[in-house]
Amino acid sequence: MEGIKKDKNMQNSFGKVMAYMKSHISDVAAYAGLILCVTVFSVTSGGRLWSSYNISVLLESVCVYMIVALGALFVYSMGYMDISVGSQMGVYCLLIILIVNATGSLILAFAVVLALTLLCGAFNGFVAVWLKLPSIVTSLFLMFVFGGLQMLIIESTGQNSISVNLSLSIMLEPWFILISIVIVAAVVFYFFNFTKLGKYTKSIGANELATAQCGVNTTKWKVIAYMVFGVCVAIGTMFLLARTGSAGKSTGSSYAMDVMLSLILGGMPLSGGMKSKVRSAIIGSFTYALLSNGLIISGVDINMVYIIKAAVFFIVVAISCREKGVFLPR
Amino acid sequence: MKKLLKKMVLFVLAFAMCMGMGASLTACGGDSGEIKIGVGLYQDSGPAVTATKNYLNGLADALNCKFEFVTLSQTNDEQNKTTAQSLISGGCKGLILTMDGGFTASVLEECRKAGVYLAGYLSDYETSYNNIKNNEYFLGTVVDGSYTGYAWGTHVAERIIAEGHKNIGMIKFPSYAFPHQSEMDQAFREKIAEYNATAADGDKITMTATTELQFQPLAESYLEENPNLDAIFAMCAGVDFVYPTLVKKNKTNIKLYTAGFSTDNDVLNNFGTSGNGCIQELVFSNVEAITYPLVMMINKITGHEFSDNPSEAQRVDSSQIIITNNEQLNLVKTKSLYCTGNVNDAFLSVDDVKALLAENGGTHAKLVEAVQSMDIDDLAALNN
């Protein structure tokens, strides 16, 4: 009798585990992806993954992804997206360099860029609602505008890339990066989980019509969400610029897709909603940076890195795509 | 349930770290002293890339080196820094990069942190050289031909005069990207002016104002605006940016003297007296020039130094292959490493390179002489 009871208990426990796994498949896939990357690259890199130099390199690259992804969380949780962020960051890097080189003031440069990011955030949020356009269309418009601006600015300088006449090396110190990440993550965590902003953006992602019918001014919160994203873009741009102290025609170009990939790898549903979590940005950024770094230090041909990243991305999306019809962003 | 999952995650992470540390110790223990060098090229394919890889891989065993090849971005500094960081993290003790830019200083800072050395290949490091030439982690660079463009500009002018062309089109890339093409332009004009000073009125040579191509093919309207051209001096890569327009506009009667090279049959079959005879001069740098940064790097990593080691990192010219007739083209097609990709066709054999190392009695002067003794006459002499 006791044996049968034990078997039943084990079956119940196994059933519970399976039920939990099924209902949290995105989270499980995200954690599993990170664990898999850490495990595999720890072995294949011959331990170089854990060298102090590589950890500082990882921190440096994770930092930009994570800060921007934490801001993007508010937009993606609404089921919206912004693909202009890469070209925006490229132009902001150039502007910071030009302003700092002309005035010597980093604060002024940051203030100008912050104002621009807020303006673009407001534009993305408001115009999409006002013209009843999908958010991707307005961000596509901004992407082309900023892409053109980036080319114009760099060609007007007559150089392939321009450098800032100010040392930003303190921003690459591991302690500075860690503190910055922790502060941004803590602020985002608070706003996303304990304020109306987070609740309404998730609610809009879950059911925009129902949210509006509950008396929430969805237009206002959409604009605010995009503006908060803008603040994170401004901060992320500073760290991006600090990496080389220079910017050129393609600076930032890959970040729109990188941030989206980071969020998806972190288990973020592209349809947004209540399943959106801050940890998606954190886990996803680490996984994405680890993938890029780990493959190369493991000796994988750089041409194969893109293919492997695409395969990993496909697998994670395939696992975490729960329902038909709610996968793609609005 | 959540707690269980978290415990599982922590356990696996701890396990992975232990595995990693273990593997690290194993890797250190098993290191046979092989020197890993990262090579960043600005192209990912093509005959130059193939020849460079074959040459270095052919030297690898004899020099106890291993080479990791990556492609650099021509427009994204941050991506280049990330690539350099990954190479360093991957265990490279030295980096040989074909590109210089705003990112070079930050890459050199990474080198300093990790105790890794940087050197250049077929690049004059124009942006950074003056700021980094005294940096102990920068070992110098070998230039794509001559640092200044005067010699080649004068040489082409002499050919144009000898061939009797009278109306010459002048084309180059923007000065911000290729500042030394202005020197070619200047040297060419000076030589022609010298000739015109004594030539009869009907023999004088005229030149158009120099057109700058923004890395786009030559506009068809250029040929309509300059209908009487006999020849074009394309200081830029004319095979890719000028010749296709001449073909398209059926203007292959205009002779093209250009920098650059191609293994494309459409180019090779229309060179000199062959085919339409449009292309009259081709130029390329030898991949064997990478011997300079390679030897400097191995010396530094193995702790050896030339008796005549320069006090600051050098920017060394390399000799180029200048092809002016069909016989030379045939020689290049069949006997140069660039075209055949065969390491046995290299100017420098494995033994030659080993002999250039400081530990084997090599000197800096001999090394410089080696990378400056690879012109078309040297190729002909090597194969006689």
Side-chain angles (χ1 to χ4, degrees):
Chain A
M1 280 295 279
E2 276 187 12
I4 294 170
K5 265 187 181 177
K6 265 187 180 175
D7 280 351
K8 273 191 174 176
N9 282 340
M10 277 180 73
Q11 277 177 356
N12 282 342
S13 301
F14 183 72
K16 279 180 185 173
V17 170
M18 289 310 289
Y20 178 82
M21 298 274 264
K22 208 171 180 181
S23 61
H24 292 80
I25 189 72
S26 296
D27 293 339
V28 172
Y31 279 113
L34 180 60
I35 293 165
L36 191 71
C37 282
V38 170
T39 312
V40 170
F41 295 138
S42 293
V43 177
T44 57
S45 70
R48 285 191 287 261
L49 187 70
W50 300 105
S51 71
S52 59
Y53 176 76
N54 196 52
I55 288 171
S56 72
V57 167
L58 268 172
L59 263 180
E60 202 181 291
S61 58
V62 159
C63 161
V64 185
Y65 292 135
M66 195 181 292
I67 289 173
V68 179
L70 281 165
L73 197 64
F74 290 96
V75 172
Y76 281 74
S77 67
M78 298 189 296
Y80 285 42
M81 67 196 309
D82 184 349
I83 58 169
S84 68
V85 62
S87 10
Q88 282 193 50
M89 289 171 80
V91 171
Y92 299 149
C93 280
L94 291 172
L95 284 179
I96 293 171
I97 293 170
L98 293 175
I99 295 171
V100 168
N101 290 354
T103 66
S105 171
L106 189 62
I107 294 170
L108 175 67
F110 182 72
V112 169
V113 165
L114 186 61
L116 279 172
T117 57
L118 292 173
L119 200 66
C120 289
F123 176 86
N124 260 334
F126 184 72
V127 173
V129 177
W130 181 44
L131 296 177
K132 291 189 170 58
L133 290 170
S135 65
I136 193 168
V137 175
T138 51
S139 68
L140 198 63
F141 167 75
L142 280 182
M143 185 181 84
F144 286 126
V145 168
F146 276 91
L149 275 174
Q150 191 168 2
M151 294 296 283
L152 282 175
I153 293 173
I154 198 71
E155 281 184 8
S156 72
T157 64
Q159 295 172 57
N160 214 21
S161 67
I162 52 174
S163 302
V164 66
N165 299 331
L166 186 74
S167 173
L168 301 173
S169 56
I170 191 170
M171 294 183 75
L172 298 179
E173 293 292 335
W175 63 266
F176 190 92
I177 292 174
L178 272 174
I179 289 174
S180 304
I181 288 176
V182 168
I183 291 172
V184 174
V187 171
V188 167
F189 185 80
Y190 173 74
F191 276 98
F192 199 69
N193 292 310
F194 300 109
T195 67
K196 284 180 182 175
L197 175 63
K199 286 172 188 167
Y200 289 160
T201 52
K202 281 183 276 189
S203 179
I204 289 168
N207 191 327
E208 187 171 349
L209 187 63
T211 310
Q213 286 180 343
C214 290
V216 175
N217 183 348
T218 52
T219 306
K220 175 182 141 188
W221 290 106
K222 281 178 196 172
V223 171
I224 293 173
Y226 269 102
M227 290 172 81
V228 170
F229 180 30
V231 173
C232 289
V233 169
I235 299 169
T237 301
M238 294 299 294
F239 281 96
L240 174 63
L241 177 61
R243 293 206 63 204
T244 58
S246 65
K249 284 178 183 170
S250 307
T251 299
S253 59
S254 61
Y255 273 88
M257 290 301 130
D258 290 346
V259 167
M260 192 198 294
L261 288 176
S262 299
L263 285 169
I264 293 171
L265 287 173
M268 176 87 189
L270 273 178
S271 52
M274 295 304 180
K275 294 251 176 187
S276 309
K277 300 277 192 302
V278 174
R279 64 171 174 260
S280 298
I282 297 169
I283 294 172
S285 305
F286 269 115
T287 308
Y288 189 71
L290 258 178
L291 255 182
S292 308
N293 176 271
L295 286 169
I296 295 176
I297 65 171
S298 299
V300 174
D301 187 318
I302 200 147
N303 297 318
M304 291 295 294
V305 168
Y306 297 107
I307 296 169
I308 294 170
K309 275 160 89 172
V312 171
F313 172 68
F314 178 78
I315 292 165
V316 172
V317 170
I319 292 171
S320 59
C321 179
R322 300 181 307 278
E323 294 172 53
K324 284 183 180 173
V326 295
F327 174 61
L328 289 171
R330 279 192 278 268
Chain B
M1 191 57 59
K2 271 188 176 176
K3 279 183 182 173
L4 179 68
L5 200 67
K6 280 177 184 168
K7 278 180 185 171
M8 282 169 61
V9 169
L10 284 172
F11 174 76
V12 175
L13 280 173
F15 175 74
M17 282 179 73
C18 292
M19 292 270 284
M21 287 170 186
S24 176
L25 290 171
T26 311
C28 292
D31 193 346
S32 60
E34 189 178 62
I35 300 167
K36 193 171 176 185
I37 295 173
V39 182
L41 306 170
Y42 65 87
Q43 287 176 306
D44 53 11
S45 60
V49 173
T50 306
T52 307
K53 287 181 179 178
N54 290 355
Y55 181 61
L56 290 178
N57 288 332
L59 296 174
D61 286 344
L63 300 176
N64 197 24
C65 289
K66 185 183 176 189
F67 298 98
E68 182 96 29
F69 297 95
V70 294
T71 308
L72 300 171
S73 164
Q74 300 194 40
T75 51
N76 194 334
D77 288 354
E78 190 228 352
Q79 192 181 318
N80 288 338
K81 183 181 177 186
T82 304
T83 304
Q85 285 177 324
S86 298
L87 288 170
I88 295 171
S89 290
C92 288
K93 299 289 178 204
L95 305 179
I96 299 176
L97 305 183
T98 52
M99 286 180 62
D100 170 41
F103 66 92
T104 304
S106 61
V107 167
L108 207 49
E109 175 60 17
E110 295 299 310
C111 289
R112 187 194 60 76
K113 282 186 205 166
V116 168
Y117 297 98
L118 172 70
Y121 163 53
L122 298 188
S123 167
D124 57 20
Y125 272 59
E126 186 71 10
T127 308
S128 318
Y129 181 74
N130 286 329
N131 296 326
I132 63 175
K133 63 185 176 186
N134 290 310
N135 188 309
E136 65 173 305
Y137 293 94
F138 180 62
L139 304 179
T141 183
V142 65
V143 179
D144 183 2
S146 297
Y147 174 62
T148 65
Y150 293 111
W152 190 58
T154 304
H155 157 80
V156 175
E158 285 167 355
R159 277 204 75 195
I160 294 271
I161 294 165
E163 298 290 341
H165 302 307
K166 299 299 172 207
N167 297 305
I168 316 299
M170 305 286 284
I171 298 170
K172 69 181 191 71
F173 279 144
S175 295
Y176 72 81
F178 291 92
H180 299 292
Q181 288 183 1
S182 299
E183 294 161 0
M184 292 174 196
D185 186 89
Q186 187 190 337
F188 183 90
R189 287 177 186 281
E190 282 171 6
K191 191 72 189 171
I192 298 293
E194 193 181 298
Y195 163 80
N196 282 344
T198 56
D201 279 352
D203 291 336
K204 287 192 191 300
I205 296 173
T206 59
M207 293 161 283
T208 63
T210 305
T211 298
E212 280 197 353
L213 295 184
Q214 300 297 325
F215 304 102
Q216 298 289 328
L218 177 67
E220 293 176 22
S221 59
Y222 176 86
L223 299 172
E224 286 153 17
E225 289 158 13
N226 300 285
N228 300 318
L229 293 179
D230 298 322
I232 290 176
F233 177 29
M235 291 154 265
C236 53
V239 164
D240 297 317
F241 292 91
V242 178
Y243 181 63
T245 308
L246 296 179
V247 172
K248 198 173 174 183
K249 294 295 286 181
N250 200 22
K251 285 278 196 176
T252 50
N253 58 318
I254 299 174
K255 303 298 180 191
L256 179 62
Y257 296 78
T258 184
F261 185 71
S262 170
T263 50
D264 186 339
N265 281 335
D266 186 42
V267 171
L268 301 181
N269 294 338
N270 291 298
F271 179 85
T273 54
S274 304
N276 60 31
C278 175
I279 303 165
Q280 292 296 310
E281 182 147 329
L282 293 167
V283 182
F284 69 88
S285 292
N286 298 289
V287 298
E288 295 94 319
I290 203 167
T291 308
Y292 181 81
L294 179 64
V295 168
M296 295 298 287
M297 196 158 279
I298 293 173
N299 283 349
K300 196 77 180 180
I301 293 168
T302 56
H304 296 90
E305 196 170 270
F306 287 134
S307 55
D308 59 346
N309 215 47
S311 57
E312 63 182 32
Q314 298 291 295
R315 180 156 52 187
V316 172
D317 287 350
S318 66
S319 51
Q320 290 185 301
I321 298 282
I322 300 176
I323 309 166
T324 58
N325 59 49
N326 291 69
E327 191 187 343
Q328 290 174 343
L329 182 64
N330 283 334
L331 180 67
V332 167
K333 273 163 71 175
T334 54
K335 296 292 179 188
S336 71
L337 169 63
Y338 189 103
C339 285
T340 64
N342 184 348
V343 70
N344 294 325
D345 289 329
F347 275 105
L348 300 170
S349 67
V350 170
D351 289 338
D352 292 335
V353 176
K354 282 177 81 173
L356 290 169
L357 293 171
E359 62 182 303
N360 296 327
T363 63
H364 187 261
K366 283 182 191 169
L367 179 60
V368 172
E369 189 192 349
V371 296
Q372 292 179 350
S373 306
M374 300 178 186
D375 62 18
I376 191 74
D377 295 332
D378 295 315
L379 186 64
L382 198 68
N383 289 284
N384 273 335

